[in-house]
């Protein structure tokens, strides 16, 4: 074949890196008010641009996605120096608009600013304020958004793209399903009329059969499952995530129909935050949680079950909290407690949880597996406990344990003897 028959090779094929951009770098996120625009970065863009998180065919690509701090109305603009003449290139505007509400303003920034001003003339947060708290001399308010209102549904549509950008494997909820709740956290600065969106959470009301008597009487029971939980990057590092979760938890404690509070597929960071928040919550006297009853020997199972239900915690989470309290006591030398007792207490749960797999092993292999699992869990618990303070008084703890007849010296010594040949 002669050279004249060969198709010319494009410059793009010779230098693909020039025309390839990281979608994580190309996407520029901003939250704006009248005074400033705060830039923040996405963590993930693969739900929008594919697993490789790259965009091909554009040089010096910038995708600007801006939100008003109060209404969260979005503005999208796409800029680039050059674009390849290739029909296979993705249309960035079209791709982004699949995940943004229809009222997103494209390219015309002046029109966006004017539309925000027009909207704010009558805008009110479309929901009910359910709680508020102070942090660093600022006020934070939690609103339960009314998704039956057009404005409430629209606000959620504006927020939901953050789920894709900040939650791994995150996906949109069906906000028209009446069992979904959306809670938005606002920061309110004294002297300013408009609060700023600081984060949001979604939770699903799973119906649970309450028993025939309650069902016949028309009473309902739900398991409140936290599905998505986001604090905007510029508000992170201030303890707001823990405060937001704690106040949502306290709000649900007041609801008679909510019988259990659970979390759907939490990541490690959320798990850590939740554990520390729950531990601190247990130490609050108004919950009536008796920390002195948390013992390694002969723990009152009736008390455990009644207390867990009162606190509306799932079994796994409450068991973890009890184990962390035991290690906390051990760490701070509170009460008549020994490490072998704590180790046996935790291993018992681990064995029950993994009984089917462990029973198929030889005895020594089973012990090794349990010991390895225990050591990893103990290390993780101490990491989570960190500098957590539960406000326990040594004399009070010991008096409480003696009063309840749990974990006295005889029981503890007996346990130590058994541990020599036990797991």
């Amino acid at each position: 074949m002669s050279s004249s028959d060969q198709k010319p090779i494009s410059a793009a094929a010779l230098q693909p890196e020039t025309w390839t951009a990281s979608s994580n770098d190309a996407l520029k996120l901003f939250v704006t008010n009248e005074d400033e625009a705060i830039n923040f970065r996405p963590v993930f863009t693969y739900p929008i641009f594919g697993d490789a998180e790259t965009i091909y065919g554009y040089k010096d690509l910038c995708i600007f996605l801006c939100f008003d701090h109060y209404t969260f109305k979005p503005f999208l603009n796409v800029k680039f120096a050059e674009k390849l003449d290739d029909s296979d290139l993705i249309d960035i505007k079209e791709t982004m608009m699949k995940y943004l509400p229809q009222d997103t303003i494209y390219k015309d920034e002046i029109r966006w600013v004017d539309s925000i001003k027009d909207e704010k003339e009558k805008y009110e947060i479309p929901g009910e304020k359910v709680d508020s708290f102070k942090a660093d001399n600022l006020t934070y308010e939690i609103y339960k958004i009314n998704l039956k209102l057009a404005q409430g549904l629209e606000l959620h549509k504006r927020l939901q793209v953050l789920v894709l950008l900040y939650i791994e494997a995150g996906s949109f909820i069906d906000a028209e399903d009446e069992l979904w709740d959306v809670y938005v956290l606002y920061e309110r600065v004294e002297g300013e009329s408009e609060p700023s969106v600081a984060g949001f959470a979604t939770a699903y009301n799973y119906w649970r059969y309450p028993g025939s008597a309650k069902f016949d009487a028309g009473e309902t029971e739900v398991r409140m499952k936290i599905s998505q939980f986001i604090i905007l990057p510029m508000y992170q590092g201030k303890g707001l995530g823990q405060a937001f979760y704690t106040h949502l938890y306290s709000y649900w404690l007041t609801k008679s129909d909510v019988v259990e509070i659970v979390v759907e597929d939490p990541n490690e960071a959320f798990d850590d935050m939740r554990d520390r928040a729950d531990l601190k919550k247990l130490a609050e006297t108004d919950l009536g949680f008796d920390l002195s009853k948390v013992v390694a020997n002969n723990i009152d199972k009736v008390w455990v079950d009644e207390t867990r239900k009162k606190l509306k915690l799932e079994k796994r989470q409450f068991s973890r909290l009890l184990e962390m309290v035991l290690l906390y006591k051990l760490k701070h030398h509170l009460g008549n407690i020994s490490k072998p007792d704590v180790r046996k207490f935790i291993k018992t749960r681990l064995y029950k949880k993994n009984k089917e797999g462990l029973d198929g092993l030889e005895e020594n292999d089973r012990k090794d597996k349990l010991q390895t699992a225990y050591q990893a869990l103990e290390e993780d618990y101490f990491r989570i406990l960190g500098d957590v303070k539960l406000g326990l008084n040594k004399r009070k703890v010991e008096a409480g344990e003696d009063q309840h007849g749990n974990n006295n010296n005889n029981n503890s010594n007996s346990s130590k003897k058994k541990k020599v040949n036990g797991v």
Side-chain angles (χ1 to χ4, degrees):
M1 184 171 62
S2 66
S3 60
S4 61
D5 295 328
Q6 296 179 10
K7 293 183 179 180
I9 299 175
S10 69
L14 293 173
Q15 295 179 312
E17 67 280 358
T18 305
W19 298 91
T20 303
S22 161
S23 52
N24 287 345
D25 294 334
L27 182 57
K28 316 290 184 184
L29 302 170
F30 293 87
V31 168
T32 69
N33 57 28
E34 293 180 355
D35 300 321
E36 61 181 343
I38 301 175
N39 175 229
F40 57 108
R41 288 174 53 88
V43 176
F44 311 106
T45 53
Y46 67 83
I48 300 174
F49 295 108
D51 291 344
E53 295 186 322
T54 58
I55 302 172
Y56 177 72
Y58 299 84
K59 187 178 288 187
D60 299 330
L61 176 64
C62 284
I63 307 167
F64 296 96
L65 180 57
C66 309
F67 302 92
D68 177 65
H69 74 115
Y70 177 31
T71 66
F72 231 68
K73 186 166 188 174
F75 167 72
L76 175 66
N77 195 6
V78 180
K79 292 186 176 182
F80 48 87
E82 294 181 63
K83 176 184 175 182
L84 289 177
D85 185 13
D86 188 335
S87 60
D88 291 333
L89 297 185
I90 66 166
D91 183 315
I92 295 176
K93 176 196 172 184
E94 184 180 301
T95 300
M96 288 293 299
M97 287 301 298
K98 292 176 183 177
Y99 306 97
L100 297 171
Q102 291 182 351
D103 74 343
T104 300
I105 304 296
Y106 178 66
K107 212 153 197 173
D108 191 339
E109 189 172 353
I110 294 176
R111 181 174 159 229
W112 177 57
V113 172
D114 289 342
S115 70
I116 292 172
K117 288 181 180 178
D118 292 342
E119 185 175 34
K120 285 181 178 178
E121 288 181 3
K122 298 181 180 179
Y123 189 81
E124 294 181 356
I125 296 173
E128 168 197 7
K129 184 168 77 172
V130 298
D131 206 348
S132 64
F133 59 91
K134 293 276 190 179
D136 294 330
N137 296 318
L138 294 172
T139 299
Y140 293 89
E141 300 172 342
I142 300 173
Y143 279 78
K144 182 180 180 182
I145 303 304
N146 187 347
L147 296 175
K148 293 181 180 179
L149 296 175
Q151 301 96 317
L153 198 59
E154 179 63 25
L155 175 59
H156 177 257
K157 288 178 180 178
R158 296 174 180 182
L159 291 166
Q160 67 181 356
V161 69
L162 298 179
V163 171
L164 305 182
L165 302 177
Y166 290 99
I167 299 178
E168 188 166 11
S171 59
F172 291 170
I173 66 169
D174 178 9
E176 295 184 3
D177 181 343
E178 294 185 358
L179 297 179
W180 279 108
D181 290 335
V182 175
Y183 299 86
V184 178
L185 176 68
Y186 291 90
E187 179 187 73
R188 188 177 291 277
V189 178
E190 187 175 353
E192 295 185 5
S193 59
E194 298 175 356
S196 300
V197 173
F200 71 97
T202 63
Y204 196 75
N205 295 261
Y206 276 94
W207 180 82
R208 194 177 86 162
Y209 181 61
S212 58
K214 289 184 178 181
F215 183 79
D216 292 341
E219 296 182 35
T220 59
E221 288 186 357
V222 298
R223 297 172 72 239
M224 188 63 68
K225 178 176 281 191
I226 299 173
S227 177
Q228 300 159 339
F229 191 96
I230 291 176
I231 299 294
L232 270 64
M234 67 285 293
Y235 294 99
Q236 293 175 10
K238 302 178 180 181
L240 288 179
Q242 187 173 122
F244 187 24
Y245 165 79
T246 298
H247 283 266
L248 283 176
Y249 176 84
S250 296
Y251 170 69
W252 289 324
L253 277 181
T254 67
K255 301 298 177 182
S256 59
D257 60 330
V258 176
V259 296
E260 195 171 68
I261 300 165
V262 299
V263 181
E264 180 183 6
D265 298 329
N267 60 28
E268 184 178 338
F270 186 90
D271 254 343
D272 288 355
M273 180 274 291
R274 180 193 185 194
D275 286 338
R276 294 186 182 109
D278 285 348
L279 283 168
K280 292 178 180 178
K281 195 72 180 172
L282 293 184
E284 293 182 7
T285 55
D286 61 336
L287 290 180
F289 181 82
D290 191 346
L291 286 161
S292 66
K293 282 194 172 185
V294 184
V295 294
N297 287 331
N298 303 319
I299 191 166
D300 187 340
K301 293 181 180 180
V302 173
W303 173 83
V304 169
D305 192 51
E306 290 178 349
T307 304
R308 182 187 66 79
K309 289 179 180 178
K310 178 182 177 183
L311 298 175
K312 302 184 181 181
L313 291 169
E314 59 184 323
K315 289 183 178 180
R316 175 186 177 275
Q317 178 65 4
F318 193 60
S319 294
R320 284 171 52 82
L321 293 174
L322 293 178
E323 290 165 5
M324 280 186 268
V325 170
L326 284 172
L327 286 173
Y328 180 90
K329 288 184 172 185
L330 187 66
K331 177 181 178 180
H332 295 280
H333 309 290
L334 298 168
N336 299 314
I337 191 170
S338 71
K339 187 163 185 175
D341 292 338
V342 176
R343 186 165 56 236
K344 182 179 180 181
F345 183 91
I346 295 175
K347 281 187 176 181
T348 298
R349 180 182 69 85
L350 291 174
Y351 173 74
K352 289 178 179 178
K353 178 183 175 183
N354 302 284
K355 185 177 186 302
E356 184 175 344
L358 289 171
D359 281 352
L361 301 175
E362 296 290 335
E363 182 178 356
N364 288 337
D365 291 338
R366 182 167 61 247
K367 290 180 179 180
D368 287 343
K369 289 283 188 183
L370 274 174
Q371 180 61 19
T372 300
Y374 168 79
Q375 287 175 333
L377 192 60
E378 181 192 65
E379 181 180 344
D380 197 47
Y381 280 165
F382 278 127
R383 178 187 60 81
I384 293 167
L385 286 168
D387 58 356
V388 170
K389 302 294 182 185
L390 298 183
L392 292 174
N393 178 277
K394 185 173 183 179
R395 183 176 299 176
K396 182 178 179 181
V397 169
E398 291 178 347
E401 290 181 355
D402 289 342
Q403 180 182 356
H404 297 304
N406 290 318
N407 201 30
N408 58 42
N409 286 331
N410 289 335
N411 284 340
S412 181
N413 290 336
S414 174
S415 177
K416 286 180 182 178
K417 293 176 182 177
K418 290 179 181 178
K419 182 64 189 74
V420 174
N421 296 313
V423 172

